[in-house]
């Protein structure tokens, strides 16, 4: 079980590292362009001037109906917790008097809620301008400023656009000749320019994790009490060896000479001024100590009357 947990943690760390590196690689180019403000302008471009994955900003003033809607959902553990509908609008870029470039249709995918509301408010304004070309438009709706990135038009969205614009008199080829071959997808430049830093943080998480784990492991090992097997050597039956490596005579368990040599009066050695303790002279048993004289002879025990004892 412990091994499986270790393997899963290792795979999780590897996944974080790969995700972080991928985020850095995929977002670095856009982030650099945003920091340098290196992006194109909608009204400076003609129908064929767009390139894939190019950052483009500008204001959209004329918006027709949404021709398609993308339904995206957020899932947690496979369960959908939220859904969001983001429309694809068919818009018009009018003739540019400054550059002399003709007008064209372009598809804009709005993803922000405020942008969607603003685009919807321009629909009636656009129809009034188309139906009354000689009159001045006095609508309160204002052009929508967009931060976008060019994407290829999905085939299904293109089919809806052609179906919407087909009035029975215009062929499919003519419709495509009036449309930009790229669409604009709304993105948030403020978030996009910090994605490489976010990817770097994600990639550093497993690296810091490993370093902290190793540091803790070293601290734990250094603080532990280590038990080492100090078993006897193969030659444990041999004579002891001194510090100089020379064999020494093993000491007997009991030695009277050693007792006398190392027992001093008052516990003070001769080197410290003590006097070696001498063993007592004479017999260890003195009969005079028990009241007898020098020629003491042991007497006989007094007789005891044992007549009444039942022996």
């Amino acid at each position: 079980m412990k091994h499986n947990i270790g393997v899963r943690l290792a795979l999780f760390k590897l996944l974080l590292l790969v995700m972080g590196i991928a985020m850095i690689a995929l977002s670095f180019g856009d982030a650099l362009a945003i920091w340098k403000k290196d992006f194109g302008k909608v009204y400076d471009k003609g129908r064929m001037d767009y390139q894939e994955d190019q950052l483009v900003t500008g204001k959209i003033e004329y918006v027709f109906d949404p021709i398609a809607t993308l339904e995206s959902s957020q899932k947690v553990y496979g369960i959908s917790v939220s859904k969001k509908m983001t429309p694809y609008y068919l818009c018009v870029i009018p003739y540019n008097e400054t550059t002399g470039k003709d007008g064209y249709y372009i598809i804009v995918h709005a993803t922000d809620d405020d942008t969607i509301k603003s685009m919807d408010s321009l629909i009636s304004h656009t129809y009034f301008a188309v139906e009354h070309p000689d009159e001045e438009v006095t609508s309160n709706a204002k052009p929508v400023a967009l931060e976008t990135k060019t994407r290829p038009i999905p085939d299904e969205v293109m089919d809806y656009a052609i179906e919407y614009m087909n009035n029975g008199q215009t062929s499919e080829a003519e419709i495509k000749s009036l449309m930009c071959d790229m669409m604009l997808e709304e993105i948030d430049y403020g978030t996009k320019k910090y994605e490489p830093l976010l990817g770097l943080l994600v990639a550093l998480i497993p690296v810091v994790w490993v370093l902290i784990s190793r540091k803790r492991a070293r601290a734990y090992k250094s603080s532990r009490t280590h038990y080492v097997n100090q078993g006897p050597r193969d030659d444990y039956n041999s004579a002891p060896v001194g510090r100089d490596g020379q064999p020494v005579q093993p000491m007997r368990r009991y030695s009277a000479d050693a007792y006398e040599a190392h027992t001093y009066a008052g516990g003070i050695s001769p080197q410290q001024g003590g006097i070696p303790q001498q063993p007592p002279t004479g017999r260890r048993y003195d009969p005079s100590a028990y009241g007898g004289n020098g020629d003491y002879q042991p007497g006989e025990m007094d007789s005891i009357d044992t007549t009444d004892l039942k022996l």
Side-chain angles (χ1 to χ4, degrees):
M1 182 67 180
K2 186 177 181 180
H3 174 71
N4 293 335
I5 294 176
V7 172
R8 291 180 180 179
L9 285 176
L11 292 176
F12 179 68
K13 295 174 186 177
L14 181 60
L15 178 61
L16 287 178
L17 182 63
V18 173
M19 287 179 57
I21 295 175
M23 289 177 64
I24 295 174
L26 295 176
S27 62
F28 183 77
D30 291 343
L32 182 62
I34 293 173
W35 282 107
K36 295 171 59 178
K37 296 184 179 180
D38 183 17
F39 31 76
K41 300 293 184 179
V42 171
Y43 283 93
D44 293 340
K45 292 182 174 295
R47 187 178 68 87
M48 303 297 293
D49 295 338
Y50 293 90
Q51 299 177 358
E52 186 176 353
D53 293 332
Q54 182 182 12
L55 299 178
V56 178
T57 62
K59 293 182 179 181
I60 299 296
E61 185 178 0
Y62 301 102
V63 180
F64 287 100
D65 296 327
I67 57 175
T69 303
L70 176 65
E71 179 180 333
S72 58
S73 61
Q74 182 180 3
K75 294 184 178 180
V76 177
Y77 299 109
I79 301 175
S80 180
V81 296
S82 63
K83 291 184 179 181
K84 186 175 183 179
M85 311 293 287
T86 53
Y88 292 84
Y89 291 97
L90 181 64
C91 305
V92 176
I93 305 299
Y95 170 76
N96 191 331
E97 297 180 356
T98 304
T99 61
K101 294 183 178 181
D102 295 331
Y104 54 90
Y105 294 95
I106 190 170
I107 297 174
V108 177
H109 182 204
T111 58
D112 183 74
D113 292 338
D114 293 336
T115 302
I116 294 173
K117 292 180 181 179
S118 299
M119 297 284 276
D120 289 338
S121 66
L122 288 174
I123 294 177
S124 58
H125 163 86
T126 301
Y127 275 105
F128 181 86
V130 171
E131 295 174 358
H132 305 83
D134 298 332
E135 297 183 18
E136 182 180 358
V137 180
T138 58
S139 173
N140 294 327
K142 296 180 180 181
V144 182
L146 295 176
E147 297 175 343
T148 66
K149 187 174 184 178
T150 58
R151 303 288 191 189
I153 303 174
D155 293 338
E156 189 174 5
V157 175
M158 189 66 182
D159 292 340
Y160 286 135
I162 293 174
E163 181 180 354
Y164 178 85
M165 297 177 65
N166 190 357
N167 55 7
Q169 301 178 354
T170 308
S171 64
E172 181 176 332
E174 291 176 340
I175 294 175
K176 289 183 176 181
S177 65
L178 298 174
M179 291 190 62
C180 178
D181 55 353
M182 291 287 170
M183 57 166 282
L184 300 179
E185 184 172 71
E186 184 183 17
I187 63 174
D188 185 2
Y189 285 4
T191 302
K192 199 73 175 177
K193 65 181 180 180
Y194 291 111
E195 282 189 2
L197 296 178
L198 179 60
L200 180 61
L201 292 177
V202 174
L204 286 178
I205 289 175
V207 177
V208 175
W209 193 343
V210 171
L211 293 177
I212 294 177
S213 299
R214 289 184 177 180
K215 186 175 181 180
R216 286 183 176 178
R218 291 174 183 173
Y220 174 72
K221 290 180 180 179
S222 63
S223 64
R224 289 181 59 191
T225 301
H226 296 275
Y227 298 92
V228 182
N229 183 13
Q230 295 288 355
R233 299 178 300 174
D234 294 339
D235 55 348
Y236 63 91
N237 284 327
S238 61
V241 179
R243 291 184 178 181
D244 56 357
Q246 300 298 325
V248 297
Q249 184 68 24
M251 182 176 290
R252 292 181 298 175
R253 293 177 62 93
Y254 172 75
S255 172
D257 296 336
Y259 178 81
E260 295 175 359
H262 297 284
T263 303
Y264 313 110
I268 303 176
S269 65
Q271 291 81 359
Q272 298 175 342
I275 301 174
Q277 183 178 355
Q278 300 296 331
T281 59
R283 294 185 303 172
R284 299 186 62 181
Y285 172 71
D286 185 5
S288 63
Y290 297 90
N293 51 23
D295 56 353
Y296 171 79
Q297 298 293 329
E300 294 181 359
M301 182 180 294
D302 296 337
S303 62
I304 301 174
D305 186 7
T306 61
T307 304
D308 295 331
L309 296 177
K310 295 180 180 181
L311 299 176

